[in-house]
Amino acid sequence: DGSTWCEGYYKEGIQILRNLVSGFTVPTTDEKKFLYTILNIDYKKYFNSIDGIILNVESISKVKSKKDFQLVEIKTTRSKTVKELPYGVFFGFTKNEEDLFRTVDNYRLCIVHTLLKKHVLLDYHEYESLIQNKRIQYQVNFKSKNVKNAN
């Protein structure tokens, strides 16, 4: 199952960041809503557009403004051809993730190399300057088969 495979890398990326980045945490739904309110972000539209946060204060309860934290979207790689981050990395990025990245100045793209146990945080301008090529890709979900009642 592809989702399990991806999920494992994602969890590994989270663990690496917890070890390497002071203040990194995965917010609860309520914490994320609180932070989105501070940034005036539409939670319903962008609820899935970040994976974690980096706190510049002791705890989320001490957050008063956008200076107190960064939003983080994590992309993981295991590529053996990537020797130095972020060069040569390939990843998927949703339109919502990129829109938020472009418009929210404390949003960071975090590339985590799970084999090298290294990461890099990029702002939007750094991201743009690194793009070799970019294409639109659709994610498609088919509906479930209707199961008729066996009456």
Side-chain angles (χ1 to χ4, degrees):
D1 176 28
S3 62
T4 309
W5 179 80
C6 282
E7 192 68 22
Y9 289 137
Y10 169 77
K11 285 181 180 160
E12 204 176 337
I14 296 272
Q15 200 52 55
I16 289 168
L17 288 179
R18 283 194 169 123
N19 293 337
L20 295 179
V21 180
S22 174
F24 176 81
T25 189
V26 177
T28 65
T29 299
D30 287 342
E31 290 169 339
K32 196 188 287 189
K33 284 179 178 175
F34 167 69
L35 298 172
Y36 276 31
T37 301
I38 289 174
L39 297 172
N40 200 25
I41 294 171
D42 178 354
Y43 182 80
K44 281 192 172 103
K45 181 173 183 181
Y46 295 108
F47 73 95
N48 213 17
S49 297
I50 68 160
D51 295 313
I53 58 171
I54 298 173
L55 291 172
N56 302 323
V57 291
E58 288 173 36
S59 65
I60 290 179
S61 62
K62 299 230 191 278
V63 169
K64 303 290 181 238
S65 76
K66 69 179 185 178
K67 293 188 306 267
D68 296 334
F69 65 99
Q70 290 181 321
L71 303 177
V72 179
E73 174 59 25
I74 300 166
K75 302 297 177 186
T76 58
T77 184
R78 299 177 65 87
S79 172
K80 290 175 176 61
T81 58
V82 173
K83 303 296 183 207
E84 182 186 351
L85 291 176
Y87 306 103
V89 171
F90 170 83
F91 59 92
F93 210 27
T94 68
K95 182 177 183 331
N96 276 357
E97 288 166 352
E98 192 181 59
D99 288 348
L100 206 57
F101 193 18
R102 187 179 61 254
T103 57
V104 177
D105 60 2
N106 66 332
Y107 185 111
R108 294 294 177 269
L109 176 62
C110 184
I111 310 293
V112 179
H113 199 299
T114 57
L115 297 178
L116 298 176
K117 304 277 191 261
K118 293 190 174 184
H119 77 289
V120 65
L121 288 163
L122 303 171
D123 67 25
Y124 187 76
H125 298 290
E126 291 166 321
Y127 158 77
E128 270 199 313
S129 72
L130 287 161
I131 295 172
Q132 179 175 320
N133 54 52
K134 183 166 90 169
R135 65 184 167 90
I136 294 172
Q137 179 176 327
Y138 295 96
Q139 291 184 325
V140 178
N141 288 336
F142 285 161
K143 58 188 171 188
S144 298
K145 183 177 181 181
N146 287 339
V147 180
K148 298 208 170 138
N149 253 341
N151 285 345

